[in-house]
Amino acid sequence: PDVLRQFRRGYLDSLEVGEFDMGLLNYQGAVFAGMLSGLEVGPLLKAADAALDQMAAYKITAYSGIAVHLRVIFANFREEEPVDWPELEASSKRDVTTETLDQSELIFDSMLFYTRAVLTLFHRQYELAERLIRNFVLLNIGEISFQYIVGECFITGLISAARFRETGKRSYLTTLRKLTKKLRDIAKARGQFWMHHVLMMEAEELAITLKNKQSPRIQHAYNLAIIAATKAGCIHDAALTNEMAGEHFIEHGSKEMVGDYFVHAVDYYAAWGGKSKVTDIKQRRKKYLKTLNDPNRQRPEGLTADGNGNYLFGITRDTFTGAITSRCTELNVFTDRSKGGDGHGNALVLGSELGDGLDGSVGLDDDDLSVLTDID
């Protein structure tokens, strides 16, 4: 998207005038933006390594926590390094309201909590994820940046839905509804790129509140969120939504409604490079993957066969990170433009403007996308 190109412009301009710390802040910002936008984990891992190599070469330590912690979860998802569950447990037990925090380490700590919350959310360790994202939110009160909005609203919202399932505490449902409304308002103001996050949260709300757990409305809500995530290019979110849908119908004894949700989740996770999630689903939900290797089966939305039985999502690679940035041939959201962002050596500071200018990629009006409009 435009923001990736703006980060690239800031990186190159800053290096040109010798502002290496600002340049590498832009570089790391591009990697973080790429993660949020669903770019493949493999190229992003290489980009994080490149950032750390450059910081070492220029002897820069400020802001290093961004690349350090992104690299950890990229390597975890790629199965190049195992998840350090004791470290996650210890980090989740920290209480930033009572610690004496070094302000120079604020970004380092924030990224630790954010990245670990994402990792534990995807691996369905919701109590851990809840504690981790709470610390991230507490460290960033008052922020309006893209990654903070995602952390406060979307990540916290999904965790709240899962914790309501686990505990039945209505405070979690209240939190989910509050954050869904907040994110919907932001999406209306800052572009439909955000809408698939809203739809995922709305699908979860339907799933945990409707008495009829086999309702076609729930299936429709999940399917709509999957389509929207696909159109936005966020294949990791499409994968997660497929997985959430499959888990819902298994939990409530509707095995006939599981269909290809887990098969498609594996497809999307594989295309994203999330090998640990592919392994996880193959181990936990093997009985629902009988059609996975069927060459004649229907492909998920947005995926194209590469001729070797795997699925690749997209056709064009971003020259900065090496990751795919053009998802579907009919979409223009990721089409390359001849001119980058304006300005000279200006970092976007971890996406403070990332939500602006990402125009709609779903092709539907905001209100048309809601699955909760008619629910009392």
Side-chain angles (χ1 to χ4, degrees):
D2 283 341
V3 170
L4 285 172
R5 284 183 284 274
Q6 290 174 19
F7 275 124
R8 182 177 187 275
R9 177 70 175 272
Y11 166 70
L12 295 174
D13 286 353
S14 295
L15 292 190
E16 185 178 341
V17 297
E19 296 177 359
F20 302 119
D21 55 346
M22 188 62 69
L24 287 166
L25 179 58
N26 274 274
Y27 192 104
Q28 293 176 93
V31 179
F32 192 29
M35 182 192 78
L36 297 176
S37 300
L39 303 188
E40 291 88 334
V41 179
L44 291 176
L45 174 58
K46 292 180 181 178
D49 281 334
L52 292 172
D53 288 344
Q54 291 179 70
M55 296 181 86
Y58 292 121
K59 302 186 184 308
I60 295 171
T61 57
Y63 316 123
S64 63
I66 304 171
V68 167
H69 293 308
L70 287 175
R71 191 202 179 283
V72 169
I73 65 166
F74 293 158
N76 292 158
F77 279 124
R78 290 278 297 171
E79 287 191 332
E80 295 187 13
E81 295 177 7
V83 176
D84 188 343
W85 292 108
E87 183 269 339
L88 285 169
E89 181 70 32
S91 295
S92 75
K93 291 181 178 179
R94 288 178 55 186
D95 183 354
V96 298
T97 64
T98 60
E99 291 182 15
T100 301
L101 299 173
D102 184 343
Q103 290 301 306
S104 67
E105 297 293 321
L106 182 61
I107 290 180
F108 187 92
D109 285 332
S110 292
M111 288 302 298
L112 183 152
F113 292 126
Y114 180 89
T115 55
R116 273 38 169 206
V118 170
L119 184 67
T120 49
L121 169 64
F122 272 81
H123 282 285
R124 303 176 58 76
Q125 301 298 313
Y126 300 119
E127 186 176 359
L128 275 178
E130 179 187 10
R131 296 199 296 263
L132 290 162
I133 202 64
R134 181 188 296 126
N135 276 334
F136 170 79
V137 171
L138 288 170
L139 287 178
N140 291 274
I141 292 174
E143 286 288 327
I144 60 172
S145 59
F146 181 90
Q147 81 283 353
Y148 177 74
I149 293 170
V150 172
E152 184 200 23
C153 296
F154 176 59
I155 303 299
T156 305
L158 292 185
I159 293 170
S160 296
R163 293 292 286 148
F164 178 77
R165 282 192 181 91
E166 292 177 341
T167 68
K169 293 182 179 179
R170 293 199 55 90
S171 59
Y172 289 116
L173 179 58
T174 300
T175 297
L176 172 62
R177 286 171 167 167
K178 176 183 176 182
L179 295 177
T180 302
K181 181 182 183 304
K182 181 175 181 177
L183 192 56
R184 168 169 282 280
D185 290 342
I186 292 170
K188 288 182 177 180
R190 302 182 71 174
Q192 286 187 5
F193 175 85
W194 301 82
M195 286 309 303
H196 77 278
H197 295 112
V198 176
L199 292 171
M200 290 173 68
M201 294 165 70
E202 289 186 342
E204 283 287 86
E205 183 180 340
L206 271 180
I208 62 179
T209 56
L210 285 186
K211 291 182 179 180
N212 179 8
K213 300 302 182 183
Q214 293 80 36
S215 171
R217 295 171 67 191
I218 296 174
Q219 190 172 47
H220 172 72
Y222 280 123
N223 290 346
L224 189 60
I226 291 166
I227 292 170
T230 301
K231 298 300 185 183
C234 295
I235 53 177
H236 60 324
D237 291 332
L240 181 59
T241 310
N242 272 285
E243 184 181 4
M244 291 191 307
E247 294 293 344
H248 167 79
F249 291 119
I250 288 177
E251 180 184 355
H252 295 286
S254 305
K255 296 181 180 179
E256 72 283 357
M257 297 183 73
V258 172
D260 286 332
Y261 280 126
F262 288 115
V263 173
H264 289 178
V266 168
D267 287 331
Y268 282 119
Y269 279 130
W272 181 50
K275 293 181 180 180
S276 66
K277 283 303 302 177
V278 171
T279 300
D280 170 49
I281 294 176
K282 284 183 176 181
Q283 290 176 344
R284 291 189 302 106
R285 301 304 183 192
K286 182 178 180 180
K287 65 182 293 185
Y288 299 99
L289 300 175
K290 295 179 181 179
T291 64
L292 182 63
N293 296 317
D294 182 353
N296 297 317
R297 68 180 172 86
Q298 184 178 3
R299 302 187 192 102
E301 174 74 17
L303 297 184
T304 57
D306 67 357
N308 296 315
N310 297 317
Y311 294 112
L312 301 177
F313 193 99
I315 55 175
T316 304
R317 292 192 172 271
D318 177 76
T319 57
F320 187 50
T321 64
I324 293 173
T325 56
S326 185
R327 303 303 189 178
C328 302
T329 55
E330 73 273 15
L331 299 181
N332 295 319
V333 175
F334 295 93
T335 301
D336 193 19
R337 295 177 173 83
S338 60
K339 295 183 179 180
D342 296 326
H344 187 79
N346 294 321
L348 291 185
V349 190
L350 280 181
S352 58
E353 301 171 15
L354 197 52
D356 299 324
L358 293 178
D359 47 7
S361 56
V362 179
L364 297 173
D365 183 80
D366 286 341
D367 292 330
D368 292 337
L369 285 170
S370 177
V371 297
L372 297 179
T373 302
D374 301 323
I375 297 177
D376 295 329

